[in-house]
Amino acid sequence: MAGIAKLHELVARHGGADLDPAEIVVGIETDRGSWVQALTASGYRVYAINPR
């Protein structure tokens, strides 16, 4: 949870506190797991990207 909280702080610092989470797009190497669940629960748009 501490890592997710730090990510939210980073996003808010760069995008502004009033940024709509639906405007944030995250590319990540997997389409499942605790990070993906936490990001989608926060309203971010999450896409799995093949690292190759």
Side-chain angles (χ1 to χ4, degrees):
M1 291 307 292
I4 292 292
K6 287 182 181 182
L7 177 63
H8 291 309
E9 291 171 12
L10 180 69
V11 169
R13 191 174 15 183
H14 290 284
D18 59 341
L19 183 66
D20 181 8
E23 296 177 14
I24 299 169
V25 177
V26 178
I28 193 167
E29 290 182 355
T30 184
D31 62 351
R32 59 185 174 267
S34 58
W35 271 93
V36 174
Q37 290 174 347
L39 292 167
T40 56
S42 297
Y44 300 154
R45 292 185 293 163
V46 180
Y47 296 96
I49 299 174
N50 187 331
R52 294 183 192 181

